[in-house]
Amino acid sequence: MASFGFSLDLRRRRRAHGIVAPLEGFAGQLYATFGLSRLLSAHGGPCLRVRRGSDGGEADIGFTGSGALDTGALLAFAGAASAYATRWYDQTGGGRDAVQTAGAAQPRIVNAGVLDVGPNGRPCLAFSGAQYLDIQNSVEFSRNQPALTYAVIARIAGTGGTQVLLYYPITSTVGSVRGYIGGTTMAISAQMRTADASSPATSTAAVASGSWNRLVARGRHMEGALDLAINGALPVNSALTPAQRTPDTNQAANIRVGATTSGGAYLTGGIAALALAQSALDMAALDAAQVQVML
């Protein structure tokens, strides 16, 4: 198992020379970002904090010199046990870590001594239908913002209805979505509404069954459009009604990752990276950055 972690690091080392961190071009524009490699060069802290299932011990896991997750340290800490993420550190420096204190609700990253892996054999967080993370201090994410962007590298594996990757709730009801991205093994949707009583705009695109996908959703409230791009394809657009074209979009609670909504289900699948912005980021450039994350 140690040699497996070492081989992952070697692959990252081969591409590290002369290559900037994948999201470096968006430094200063991101509200929060999470990855299982270093996404922003200024981030000098750990990647995530994990809990060992055998005895409840916890440890911060950082990066290797090449920016890869230090899988050697992670697997040495876990031993033959499983390990679960208690805190996924926000790499922007804004302190909006994604946190879960309840053991049964923590996504897994090591399964009985074996690393959970996602795209191209890179590490991922595994969700099995009852796990989620809360992004701390994020209740103001949508507050009076003319545009929002969220990007996720994820896989939906469950078949129990619509699986939720990320959502932020309307002002009056925590379980009802103001903004959302998720779907099924065959199709991904993004949703947005600006007024609590309004019907949401929805954009949907097909994906290959059970595949890992690069997802970018962008809500342009003042321009009246919701955009969704998958794996670099041209975005699918949905229009907002004139009454919805307002930035007055307060939330009821923090953003949740993998959590059920009133119309969806907990995620069964995996997440490898996540980025959020309070602006309409360039979707093609953001997808290109996601490609680098997956290499």
Side-chain angles (χ1 to χ4, degrees):
M1 183 53 59
S3 62
F4 179 49
F6 185 61
S7 67
L8 288 177
D9 186 42
L10 280 179
R11 176 160 54 186
R12 181 69 67 161
R13 283 182 184 275
R14 284 196 297 269
R15 59 182 292 268
H17 299 290
I19 298 179
V20 297
L23 293 182
E24 198 67 16
F26 297 97
Q29 302 178 67
L30 297 172
Y31 180 80
T33 191
F34 312 89
L36 295 171
S37 59
R38 185 180 284 112
L39 303 181
L40 294 167
S41 60
H43 178 63
C47 178
L48 74 168
R49 187 165 185 82
V50 299
R51 176 183 61 84
R52 185 167 50 212
S54 57
D55 61 1
E58 295 191 5
D60 280 337
I61 305 297
F63 305 97
T64 66
S66 61
L69 179 68
D70 192 343
T71 55
L74 173 61
L75 293 171
F77 172 74
S82 295
Y84 304 87
T86 68
R87 182 176 294 265
W88 203 3
Y89 289 102
D90 172 17
Q91 296 192 29
T92 68
R96 299 184 180 95
D97 301 338
V99 174
Q100 181 53 261
T101 59
Q106 293 164 354
R108 193 186 67 215
I109 192 166
V110 176
N111 183 19
V114 178
L115 187 70
D116 283 294
V117 295
N120 297 319
R122 307 302 302 168
C124 77
L125 295 183
F127 295 72
S128 57
Q131 292 75 43
Y132 68 96
L133 299 165
D134 276 325
I135 298 178
Q136 303 299 289
N137 308 310
S138 64
V139 71
E140 81 287 356
F141 174 62
S142 66
R143 184 167 294 157
N144 296 319
Q145 296 299 319
L148 300 170
T149 302
Y150 29 100
V152 191
I153 298 174
R155 173 177 179 261
I156 295 175
T159 58
T162 300
Q163 312 282 301
V164 178
L165 295 171
L166 174 150
Y167 88 97
Y168 47 100
I170 63 175
T171 303
S172 57
T173 307
V174 171
S176 295
V177 299
R178 181 173 298 290
Y180 150 96
I181 190 167
T184 68
T185 58
M186 299 295 289
I188 300 293
S189 296
Q191 196 172 87
M192 185 189 73
R193 58 178 156 193
T194 54
D196 281 9
S198 68
S199 298
T202 303
S203 295
T204 301
V207 295
S209 180
S211 61
W212 280 91
N213 296 283
R214 308 184 309 274
L215 314 171
V216 182
R218 185 176 65 178
R220 294 177 286 139
H221 299 152
M222 297 303 289
E223 298 175 55
L226 171 65
D227 314 314
L228 172 65
I230 298 178
N231 299 325
L234 291 174
V236 177
N237 309 109
S238 179
L240 278 68
T241 67
Q244 291 177 322
R245 296 180 185 185
T246 170
D248 185 16
T249 56
N250 293 343
Q251 293 171 215
N254 285 328
I255 300 167
R256 287 191 159 180
V257 180
T260 185
T261 67
S262 58
Y266 286 102
L267 172 64
T268 297
I271 296 178
L274 169 65
L276 305 163
Q278 291 177 307
S279 60
L281 296 182
D282 184 288
M283 299 181 81
L286 188 51
D287 178 71
Q290 289 181 309
V291 170
Q292 293 301 310
V293 174
M294 294 176 71
L295 292 178

